[in-house]
Structure formats: C-alpha cells, structure tokens
Amino acid sequence: MFYYIRLAVLAALLTTPVSAQVPILEVPPAVPATSEADRSDPAAWQAAMPSIAIAAAFLAEKEERGPENEHIPRADNSYGFAEEVYFYVSLDNVARDPVAEADAAFAIALRAQVRAEDGTPLSDWLEVHTYTGTMSMPPDHPEYYQNWVTGGLGPEVPPGRYQLALEFTDMSRAENASRAPVEVVFDLLYPDQ
C-alpha cells in the first residue's frame, strides 16, 4: 500500500545546525498487552482488544527488498530537498468490519505533520490518506488483526533537522474511546546541499 504527497512547508521554518548523529526513529514502537478475551470468538476478541498500536516502524528503502521480498530499513535518515521520505509501519489491533468475516474490511487513516527538531509543529496536521482493503485470511489466523502500510512524503524544507510525525487512526472502531490514534515520529536530516 503506497501513497505519496508533498508537504509544502517553506515559509517561517527555522534552520537548525546540522549534526551527523541524528537517530532515525525518535519514538520507539510499543504494543500494549494483548487482550485476555477468548481468541476463538473474534467478536469478543475485537471488543476487548486494545487500541491500534505500532508493532514496528522504520524509514525504508523504496526500491530494494530483502531476500523474502520484505521491506528493509534505510541506511540513514539524510535526505535531499523534497526527496521522498519512504516509511514502513506495522500496526497491531486493527479492527475489522464486519468482525469475524474472512473478507472483512479495514480502514486506517493517516495524518502527517512536519515539526522542528524540538517537536514544535511547523505545519498543521495534514489528512494524507486512508488505507482501506479487505482481509485475505480467516478470523482465527494469528495475524488477522494486523496490517502494515507504506507511504512516501516529500517535505520541501530548507537544510536542518526536523521531525516527521505520522498519526494512524483505526476508522473501523465504533467507540471514540477505542479509536485513539497512535503516533510515530521520525527524525529527518536535511544537510546543506
């Protein structure tokens, strides 16, 4: 699943000193404890399931793949002006509609925001994309409530260090309390060209 958008954030950006030692992922992924509901009852499992969670997230190589066609992490987080920032995010606890159906649908909304190195927003949240599809596995499969998404964004920013925040919301959750979004923040480095 791929979606590309340019984030135009040219005005009023502060240029910060550039350092070669910038971590690629600032916020480590965390998955909450799994539900204690009976997995043999998918409807009960989904009702007791925690909110959507990040299982893994990394800046990825867009064209290269691993030996089993898996996405592989990018070697660094240094980008040129408007170069595509391609990412991979694996999500747990994604609800299905209708639950317990082999071809149940999912809907995961993505918003993005560019921030200064200290986390100060430099743009409003942008509604980027909603990933939708249907499941190809039965409800009793161990990965039935998991999804992974990829995407590419091309922030147009002057040289400096920035954060790219991605926010994922499970749109198939009926209750607002269980629809709490989850966020991943990548540090990006834009050296002098």
Side-chain angles (χ1 to χ4, degrees), residues 51-99:
S51 296
I52 191 172
I54 304 297
F58 53 84
L59 299 172
E61 294 291 347
K62 183 175 180 181
E63 304 298 330
E64 297 179 44
R65 294 288 186 274
E68 296 183 24
N69 202 33
E70 74 274 15
H71 287 85
I72 57 175
R74 181 179 164 104
D76 62 33
N77 64 337
S78 181
Y79 292 88
F81 179 78
E83 181 182 352
E84 182 179 36
V85 176
Y86 189 75
F87 58 85
Y88 168 92
V89 178
S90 175
L91 299 160
D92 279 340
N93 308 325
V94 180
R96 305 304 181 206
D97 185 26
V99 66

Side-chain angles (χ1 to χ4, degrees), residues 2-44:
F2 172 75
Y3 189 81
Y4 179 80
I5 186 170
R6 284 195 186 274
L7 299 174
V9 187
L10 298 174
L13 294 182
L14 299 174
T15 303
T16 55
V18 176
S19 167
Q21 300 298 321
V22 179
I24 291 178
L25 181 63
E26 177 171 293
V27 178
V31 178
T34 57
S35 165
E36 294 181 11
D38 182 0
R39 186 64 186 254
S40 65
D41 180 354

Side-chain angles (χ1 to χ4, degrees), residues 121-133:
L122 299 175
S123 72
D124 291 333
W125 281 104
L126 298 176
E127 305 291 334
V128 177
H129 183 64
T130 299
Y131 298 91
T132 59

